[in-house]
Amino acid sequence: MRASLKNCKRIVIKVGTSTLMYPNGNVNLRTIEKLAMVLSDLCNEGKEVVLVSSGAIGVGCHKLQLPTRPTEMPDLQAIAAVGQSELMNIYNKFFGEYGYTVGQVLLTRDVIDYPTSRKNVINTFNKLLENRIIPIVNENDTVAIEEIEHLTKFGDNDRLSAIVLEVIQADLLIMLSDIDGFYDSNPTENPDSKMFTEIHQITPELQSLAGGKGSAFGTGGMFTKLAAADKVLKNDSKMVLTNGNQPTIIFDIMNGKNIGTLFAKEALVKGETGQ
């Protein structure tokens, strides 16, 4: 049923702040290095990989030795500017050790929505991938501010990763989070909660099961992941939500193992008539 995932050519990997940071606010270098190894080896295999990475504010807080995440927008924008630079330095170091160059792509919603800019973005992604450069995508937090959310802001990197999948016509989105998949209740509070292995349609009932925000340094929750999955399904692509604490799990996903929650239209699951 999942065997067709190994045939996916163009893959978007989304990694959340909770995967990149320890709960104490320090950068999880071990996980980032493993992530770089896995994605580099996927490229060695012939896959085209795009990484959508959160973490700019979390890394910025660490770089500036801030004990807590500020709440004022100018503070967050300044921290994001510092953190994005530091995060790219970390990625550049680790991917470089495996022979790959990375390219930073900072996006705002107006760029995606405006046809000429959208075409330029698509051309940039295609050229980077053509040259075996791994695009690392984040929202441009220093520009996309809450006050003009309807014009520039994606809202979170879960939705951004689904939009990137749509723009570059990717086959698969692998969303690495701090939870093993999508559950019928909060597994940290209910030991009897059950994980969905497959979801074919995002329904109001599923949305009612989604919780609020995630970790202290992140912004996403299950609701935003469902919104991303809904967009993926509408594009006849697939998404797997799983725990990112061991990035090598991506190999298992690509080999068709029953890991995490697979979001795919039922027709695709049964007959694989889509991408």
Side-chain angles (χ1 to χ4, degrees):
M1 188 173 292
R2 297 195 185 204
S4 64
L5 293 182
K6 66 182 178 183
N7 298 323
C8 292
K9 170 70 173 179
R10 183 168 285 191
I11 306 163
V12 177
I13 310 289
K14 188 269 176 179
V15 59
T17 302
S18 59
T19 299
L20 303 177
M21 308 290 297
Y22 289 110
N24 62 10
N26 291 326
V27 180
N28 191 334
L29 295 174
R30 179 167 48 191
T31 294
I32 297 176
E33 182 176 21
K34 288 181 180 178
L35 180 65
M37 181 274 290
V38 171
L39 301 194
S40 296
D41 205 46
L42 287 179
C43 293
N44 288 344
E45 190 181 336
K47 307 294 187 184
E48 296 178 336
V49 175
V50 175
L51 175 62
V52 176
S53 175
S54 301
I57 292 177
V59 172
C61 287
H62 174 262
K63 180 73 172 179
L64 298 173
Q65 299 183 338
L66 302 178
T68 58
R69 174 187 170 118
T71 58
E72 297 296 322
M73 184 59 66
D75 292 330
L76 292 173
Q77 290 175 298
I79 292 167
V82 172
Q84 187 64 32
S85 175
E86 180 70 8
L87 186 59
M88 286 304 299
N89 282 337
I90 295 171
Y91 278 133
N92 189 60
K93 170 181 170 56
F94 285 134
F95 277 101
E97 290 179 357
Y98 295 102
Y100 280 91
T101 299
V102 298
Q104 178 177 258
V105 181
L106 297 179
L107 297 175
T108 51
R109 179 175 284 278
D110 56 323
V111 171
I112 296 297
D113 290 342
Y114 186 63
T116 301
S117 300
R118 183 186 180 97
K119 181 179 178 181
N120 290 335
V121 167
I122 293 172
N123 290 340
T124 298
F125 274 115
N126 287 335
K127 187 56 66 173
L128 288 170
L129 294 171
E130 178 184 323
N131 287 280
R132 292 172 57 82
I133 298 170
I134 299 175
I136 298 181
V137 186
N138 197 358
E139 183 165 8
N140 191 342
D141 290 320
T142 62
V143 174
I145 61 174
E146 188 175 5
E147 286 80 359
I148 50 176
E149 186 175 48
H150 64 291
L151 290 179
T152 67
K153 194 170 178 62
F154 291 104
D156 58 80
N157 278 352
D158 292 337
R159 289 185 178 90
L160 174 59
S161 63
I163 290 171
V164 170
L165 174 138
E166 175 190 19
V167 167
I168 67 172
Q169 298 182 317
D171 307 303
L172 174 66
L173 168 60
I174 298 177
M175 190 173 290
L176 301 179
S177 183
D178 56 359
I179 193 167
D180 293 340
F182 187 78
Y183 286 80
D184 59 3
S185 62
N186 190 335
T188 62
E189 299 175 357
N190 178 16
D192 295 324
S193 61
K194 293 181 174 57
M195 188 180 76
F196 293 88
T197 57
E198 293 178 15
I199 292 176
H200 308 309
Q201 182 181 6
I202 306 303
T203 64
E205 289 76 18
L206 286 175
Q207 291 173 333
S208 69
L209 298 176
K213 291 187 177 181
S215 67
F217 287 90
T219 59
M222 282 298 113
F223 190 85
T224 63
K225 290 168 176 56
L226 283 188
D230 188 46
K231 191 169 190 64
V232 169
L233 293 177
K234 288 177 180 176
N235 281 283
D236 290 334
S237 297
K238 305 171 191 176
M239 174 178 136
V240 175
L241 170 64
T242 191
N243 198 310
N245 62 355
Q246 291 294 335
T248 51
I249 202 171
I250 294 174
F251 291 139
D252 294 330
I253 291 171
M254 298 304 299
N255 285 328
K257 292 187 178 180
N258 191 21
I259 291 170
T261 301
L262 170 65
F263 297 83
K265 285 187 176 179
E266 195 165 9
L268 290 179
V269 172
K270 289 182 177 179
E272 301 300 334
T273 57
Q275 295 180 9

